[in-house]
Amino acid sequence: MKILILGAGKMGSFFTDLLSFDHEVAVYDPDPRKLRFVFNAERFASLDEIDAFCPDMVINAATVKYTISAFKQVLPHIPERCILSDIASVKTGLPEFYASQPHPFVSTHPMFGPTFASLSNLANENAIIITEGDHLGRVFFRDLYRHLGLHIEEYSFSEHDLTIAYSLSIPFASTLVFASVMKHQDAPGTTFKRHMAIARGLMSEDDYLLSEILFNPNTSGQLEQIQQRLDELRLIVQRHDSDAMKEYLERVRRNLD
């Protein structure tokens, strides 16, 4: 298969390395400096170069802010049969975009990223494949993710957004609150240092990505739950209520089972 990858960032480079030995791969990035270390694939810094390549699939690995605009740039340069695919963690606007196009499409979300995951060992990571999409495209990514040893779930676009509100918005919000009240520690404990490492990793992410994940329509309800549990904990601490604390801790342990 001839595959065009949009974006030579960390995830674009990851998919290039992953696919280039079994498929004919080209990478497009308007910044030629990002293409310097692309290996075993064609490198395109101009949209016109895509015309002759004639891809069977486009994998959009542009940052979430530019996912749809990157698609729009390449549409005049790809055949109508070409499958459009994205790996975006935020699907806002994508269902409407795909509905407006004659191209078949497949949307997936590898639930790992270069900040926290080891891209050389993904055996304990997950991926979501959106059910609304081209059958062959979904088969392609299902086989690819299984080859990586990923656990795969298949959700609709709406189910995906609900899942992301739970699995990303809660830890993102919790980490942001921790970091917002954090003070320098001369002798930090192990737990503090681990939280700090997570916070630094989170804050290295793109501001637009963080905002869009938190702006998920389902996030507000999750934040309300955090606020309720935090208020409950605060009252327990204020009252030095040992019985209530024991019950609270047991409830947390049950959630972790």
Side-chain angles (χ1 to χ4, degrees):
M1 182 182 288
K2 300 179 74 172
I3 300 173
L4 173 67
I5 295 175
L6 305 182
K10 291 179 180 178
M11 289 303 286
S13 298
F14 168 72
F15 274 90
T16 301
D17 292 342
L18 180 64
L19 296 168
S20 61
F21 287 95
D22 297 313
H23 302 275
E24 188 175 347
V25 174
V27 185
Y28 166 73
D29 196 298
D31 184 353
R33 292 172 297 180
K34 293 183 178 180
L35 297 168
R36 286 178 297 176
F37 304 109
V38 171
F39 173 74
N40 201 37
E42 295 190 58
R43 296 176 287 183
F44 300 153
S46 167
L47 289 167
D48 292 337
E49 295 176 276
I50 298 171
D51 295 332
F53 184 67
C54 198
D56 301 303
M57 174 182 285
V58 170
I59 298 178
N60 192 332
T63 57
V64 67
K65 184 177 183 179
Y66 299 108
T67 301
I68 292 178
S69 61
F71 271 140
K72 290 181 177 178
Q73 282 186 328
V74 301
L75 285 177
H77 303 274
I78 61 175
E80 192 169 300
R81 60 172 172 75
C82 179
I83 300 173
L84 303 179
S85 69
D86 74 90
I87 56 171
S89 53
V90 176
K91 304 298 186 185
T92 305
L94 282 168
E96 296 80 7
F97 170 77
Y98 286 135
S100 71
Q101 298 301 318
H103 295 273
F105 75 90
V106 57
S107 184
T108 76
H109 181 182
M111 297 288 285
F112 57 86
T115 301
F116 297 116
S118 170
L119 297 182
S120 61
N121 182 15
L122 298 171
N124 294 318
E125 303 294 344
N126 304 294
I128 294 173
I129 297 176
I130 302 299
T131 54
E132 298 108 319
D134 178 71
H135 173 71
L136 292 179
R138 285 186 283 123
V139 168
F140 174 86
F141 278 98
R142 193 180 299 118
D143 290 345
L144 178 64
Y145 291 154
R146 281 176 178 163
H147 175 73
L148 293 172
L150 298 174
H151 171 73
I152 302 169
E153 291 288 344
E154 299 202 17
Y155 296 145
S156 66
F157 276 117
S158 59
E159 289 170 335
H160 168 271
D161 289 349
L162 184 60
T163 299
I164 296 309
Y166 180 79
S167 63
L168 290 185
S169 296
I170 288 179
F172 279 21
S174 301
T175 300
L176 287 173
V177 171
F178 162 78
S180 69
V181 298
M182 183 271 304
K183 294 182 180 179
H184 174 75
Q185 299 289 313
D186 291 323
T190 301
T191 302
F192 183 89
K193 288 191 288 187
R194 288 179 178 175
H195 277 284
M196 276 292 293
I198 292 173
R200 288 196 174 105
L202 181 67
M203 298 315 297
S204 71
E205 296 283 3
D206 178 74
D207 287 358
Y208 183 87
L209 172 64
L210 297 178
S211 298
E212 287 301 297
I213 287 174
L214 291 169
F215 289 162
N216 182 317
N218 300 290
T219 297
S220 179
Q222 301 296 339
L223 293 181
E224 287 178 7
Q225 290 191 54
I226 293 175
Q227 185 66 57
Q228 290 169 4
R229 298 294 181 267
L230 189 58
D231 287 342
E232 181 183 356
L233 181 60
R234 179 176 55 82
L235 289 174
I236 292 171
V237 171
Q238 286 178 345
R239 296 169 180 168
H240 289 214
D241 190 334
S242 297
D243 291 338
M245 178 61 79
K246 180 177 176 58
E247 181 183 344
Y248 192 98
L249 295 176
E250 287 177 349
R251 191 192 317 153
V252 171
R253 289 191 177 98
R254 287 195 298 270
N255 287 347
L256 295 175
D257 287 342

